[in-house]
Amino acid sequence: MKMELRDAACGYGSRIVAENISMEVHSGEILCLLGPNGVGKTTLFKTILGFLRLQRGEILLDGHNIFNWTKKKLAKAIGYVPQAHTPPFPFKVLDVVTMGRTAHLGAFASPSACDTAIAEEALQTLGVSFLSDRIYTEISGGERQMVLIARALAQQPEILVMDEPTSNLDFGNQIRVLEQINLLARRGIGVIMTSHFPNHAFLCSGKVALMQKSSAFIVGGVDEVVTEENLRSAYGIEVKITSAKNSRGELVKACIPLIN
């Protein structure tokens, strides 16, 4: 599947927050969306998910305009992982993940044994089956993030939209989540994710889109977009791009801020 944005503009009412956005992501591809606060990253995501009306342009899935689709049909194609989530009731983890099957249920229908099996498989895919009977509100932040990803996987989407999936996680859990995102892409899922950390683009993204306060929008390969000049322009700070070898002898780039 291919998701394509053509000259998209998004915002609230008559106020345009971001415009002139053109990009695409294919199944099995990861696109990391970078940019400072206030440039419209979350607004763009809300528009892709159908929560906000597209102000101008088109958003297409395999050439079809998604705003001609029902909410249910869209939910079957696009999964969503929010920054954080705390339910009002102490549900078991398996129940939270099974909620991802909602788009596949009929009106007033309850999850079937098949739906529960799909939810259990999603937890197993992420290596967190041991959480199945735990209370969601009583597990750690890193574990909650894995559960939210499992809930999105239970939707069986072609495209996964992830709004700062490593938000509020410690360093170790950030890396574990990024590793899982890489694995999901290898399984053929297209991923669009936001991050406040350019290094995340180096760790798990082949394609990057950089949004700036000037409404400039740059999209391309990670080495092409995540440069010292572009980061200086977007964030207003001096940075140095360096590299080191990983355990397989491959060069991995990193962004280092230059603090006086």
Side-chain angles (χ1 to χ4, degrees), residues 80-87 93 96-97 122-123 126 128 131 136-137 139-153 160-170 172-178 180-181 184 193-194:
Y80 175 52
V81 180
Q83 291 183 30
H85 172 255
T86 302
V93 162
V96 173
V97 177
L123 286 167
L126 297 174
V128 289
L131 295 173
Y136 177 79
T137 52
I139 61 179
S140 72
E143 290 170 336
R144 284 192 194 185
Q145 199 62 28
M146 290 296 189
V147 171
L148 292 180
I149 296 172
R151 183 182 67 175
L153 285 184
L160 194 56
V161 174
M162 311 180 81
D163 193 0
E164 296 183 35
T166 61
S167 176
N168 301 316
L169 299 184
D170 63 40
N173 279 318
Q174 286 184 31
I175 301 305
R176 293 183 188 99
V177 168
L178 294 176
Q180 290 298 334
I181 292 172
L184 294 178
M193 59 174 279
T194 59

Side-chain angles (χ1 to χ4, degrees), residues 16 28 47 80 86 95 108-109 119 127 139 152 177 180-181 199 203 218 228 246:
I16 300 295
T47 305
Y80 175 52
T86 302
D95 293 333
F108 307 111
I139 61 179
V177 168
Q180 290 298 334
I181 292 172
N199 283 337
L203 292 172
I218 307 170
E228 295 171 2
N246 63 16

Side-chain angles (χ1 to χ4, degrees), residues 29-224:
E29 186 175 54
I30 301 172
L31 184 146
C32 185
L33 183 61
L34 299 175
N37 291 331
V39 296
K41 298 188 298 296
T42 297
T43 303
L44 175 60
F45 272 13
K46 288 180 178 178
T47 305
I48 290 173
L49 294 164
F51 301 151
L52 293 175
R53 183 177 62 85
L54 185 66
Q55 302 288 329
R56 188 171 61 249
E58 293 181 303
I59 300 178
L60 309 171
L61 283 175
D62 283 345
H64 302 285
N65 193 319
I66 66 172
F67 290 95
N68 295 325
W69 292 17
T70 64
K71 298 288 186 183
K72 188 171 184 176
K73 182 178 180 180
L74 188 61
K76 290 180 180 179
I78 304 176
Y80 175 52
V81 180
Q83 291 183 30
H85 172 255
T86 302
F89 303 104
F91 294 109
K92 285 186 177 180
V93 162
L94 182 58
D95 293 333
V96 173
V97 177
T98 305
M99 292 175 188
R101 298 298 300 160
T102 301
H104 298 269
L105 302 179
F108 307 111
S110 298
S112 66
C114 180
D115 293 314
T116 301
I118 290 171
E120 290 173 339
E121 182 182 0
L123 286 167
Q124 185 176 0
T125 295
L126 297 174
V128 289
S129 296
F130 65 92
L131 295 173
S132 182
D133 291 325
R134 297 276 301 278
I135 301 300
Y136 177 79
T137 52
E138 297 176 1
I139 61 179
S140 72
E143 290 170 336
R144 284 192 194 185
Q145 199 62 28
M146 290 296 189
V147 171
L148 292 180
I149 296 172
R151 183 182 67 175
L153 285 184
Q155 287 180 233
Q156 298 180 316
E158 299 284 346
I159 301 291
L160 194 56
V161 174
M162 311 180 81
D163 193 0
E164 296 183 35
T166 61
S167 176
N168 301 316
L169 299 184
D170 63 40
F171 180 69
N173 279 318
Q174 286 184 31
I175 301 305
R176 293 183 188 99
V177 168
L178 294 176
E179 288 174 340
Q180 290 298 334
I181 292 172
N182 280 328
L183 291 175
L184 294 178
R186 292 185 196 127
R187 288 167 58 92
I189 296 176
V191 178
I192 305 175
M193 59 174 279
T194 59
S195 178
H196 281 303
F197 303 101
N199 283 337
H200 290 176
F202 288 128
L203 292 172
C204 72
S205 180
K207 184 182 290 186
V208 176
L210 179 62
M211 300 177 70
Q212 302 190 46
K213 291 180 179 179
S214 62
S215 294
F217 186 82
I218 307 170
V219 62
V222 59
D223 293 329
E224 174 189 357

